[in-house]
Amino acid sequence: MKIGEASELSGLPTKTIRYYEDIGLVRSDRRDNGYRDYGEAEIHKLRFIQRSRGLGFTVEQCRTLLSLYNDPDRSSADVRALAENHLEEIERKIQELAGMRSTLSQLVSSCHGDHRPDCPILNDLAGSG
Amino acid sequence: MKIGEASELSGLPTKTIRYYEDIGLVRSDRRDNGYRDYGEAEIHKLRFIQRSRGLGFTVEQCRTLLSLYNDPDRSSADVRALAENHLEEIERKIQELAGMRSTLSQLVSSCHGDHRPDCPILNDLAGSG
DNA sequence: CTTAGCCTTCCACTCACAGGAAGGTTATGG
DNA sequence: CCATAACCTTCCTGTGAGTGGAAGGCTAAG
């Protein structure tokens, strides 16, 4: 199967699949004409990565997850630890964004938003609040 | 005042201040020895940027905010529109992260996390769920 | 025979800096 | 007078995770 079909089946852009090959995350066979050729196993791998990325794991974490997936002697504790770390990271980001949202929504609602130049948002950013 | 003190007063690393100068966001005078020299006005500007960045505005949005701040004929509606757009962006990111958190925390709690290789997290990523 | 739609490689760009090398300046201490 | 430390300068490279585009090869259909 050519890269276009692999793209459709995996949900990843062809550019991204080539990039993953560049960084050694996946591989591909080649046909005589130089085209990449994918089998079921690689598609499976690509979908695995697509799902992992969709949960916000970094590409390096995906690499680790893949190697854990392919290691029959892994312990589920290792996988869980990785996922827990990532979950904490997500939690941290949400907290940070929630703080911004809180401040910003206050500022937005305190700004009348008309043709006049007076603006509490700018006043706050300027430190006069 | 030299860049080190400007850094302390603004809360921005010296590297960042030089970068902002590179991209034309701020400026600085120079002493005879080539050192950057900052006055009150530039410090004020740096703090303005620091606060704006802290609320998650992009550097380009900071540039716009600064020019609005310096424009006596601005309308507060323009500022508010910018802030509202940004607020929506933040909301979107929070939603995305919350979705990840939801899925991930379910997966983490369904994984026993011991020495055995069987792992619901990997099973899910592999699409067998 | 040409056109469209695939595919290839390679290079540059994104964003917002951070790290580090190589070297100049200045304050302090002996 | 000299050494040393703590500043400062410019310039180059790297980050993460791709995206965009150029220049060119392959192939099926009309």
Side-chain angles (χ1 to χ4, degrees):
Chain A
M1 158 187 351
K2 288 186 286 183
I3 197 171
E5 201 180 342
S7 167
E8 283 188 29
L9 290 180
S10 66
L12 293 167
T14 60
K15 279 271 186 191
T16 299
I17 297 176
R18 290 196 197 97
Y19 169 70
Y20 287 164
E21 184 174 332
D22 269 3
I23 64 171
L25 199 56
V26 295
R27 45 168 307 285
S28 70
D29 292 334
R30 293 293 179 131
R31 299 188 187 174
D32 288 349
N33 60 11
Y35 286 17
R36 286 172 180 79
D37 199 2
Y38 297 91
E40 281 308 312
E42 287 315 299
I43 300 300
H44 190 73
K45 219 168 173 177
L46 287 170
R47 290 169 63 91
F48 184 100
I49 299 169
Q50 196 266 348
R51 282 207 186 77
S52 306
R53 292 286 298 130
L55 287 178
F57 287 103
T58 68
V59 165
E60 284 316 304
Q61 285 172 327
C62 290
R63 199 189 295 275
T64 303
L65 286 169
L66 270 177
S67 79
L68 284 167
Y69 183 62
N70 291 323
D71 177 7
D73 295 333
R74 71 181 171 245
S75 61
S76 63
D78 291 346
V79 185
R80 191 177 148 144
L82 182 57
E84 273 175 346
N85 278 349
H86 180 44
L87 195 50
E88 284 164 20
E89 187 64 32
I90 285 176
E91 195 60 55
R92 236 171 285 136
K93 282 182 189 165
I94 289 177
Q95 290 310 315
E96 193 187 348
L97 289 169
M100 292 176 186
R101 175 177 57 183
S102 161
T103 303
L104 262 173
S105 63
Q106 267 185 313
L107 288 177
V108 163
S109 62
S110 71
C111 175
H112 40 70
D114 57 20
H115 64 287
R116 289 170 298 174
D118 174 51
C119 177
I121 300 173
L122 292 178
N123 288 343
D124 184 274
L125 291 174
S128 57
Chain B
M1 155 186 355
K2 288 185 288 185
I3 198 172
E5 200 180 342
S7 166
E8 283 188 29
L9 290 181
S10 65
L12 293 167
T14 60
K15 281 271 187 191
T16 300
I17 298 176
R18 290 195 197 97
Y19 169 70
Y20 288 165
E21 185 173 331
D22 268 4
I23 63 171
L25 199 56
V26 295
R27 46 169 305 286
S28 70
D29 293 333
R30 294 294 178 129
R31 299 187 189 176
D32 288 348
N33 59 14
Y35 286 16
R36 286 172 180 80
D37 199 2
Y38 297 92
E40 282 308 311
E42 286 316 298
I43 300 301
H44 190 73
K45 218 169 173 177
L46 288 170
R47 289 168 65 89
F48 185 99
I49 299 170
Q50 196 266 346
R51 283 207 185 79
S52 306
R53 292 286 298 130
L55 287 178
F57 287 103
T58 68
V59 166
E60 285 316 303
Q61 285 172 327
C62 291
R63 200 190 294 276
T64 303
L65 285 169
L66 270 177
S67 80
L68 284 168
Y69 182 62
N70 291 324
D71 177 7
D73 295 332
R74 71 181 172 246
S75 60
S76 64
D78 290 346
V79 185
R80 190 176 149 144
L82 183 56
E84 274 176 344
N85 278 348
H86 180 44
L87 194 51
E88 284 164 21
E89 187 64 32
I90 285 176
E91 196 60 56
R92 233 170 288 137
K93 281 182 190 166
I94 289 178
Q95 291 308 317
E96 192 186 350
L97 288 169
M100 293 176 186
R101 175 176 59 183
S102 161
T103 303
L104 262 174
S105 63
Q106 268 183 314
L107 287 176
V108 163
S109 63
S110 72
C111 174
H112 40 68
D114 57 20
H115 63 287
R116 288 171 297 176
D118 173 50
C119 177
I121 300 173
L122 292 178
N123 288 344
D124 184 275
L125 291 173
S128 57

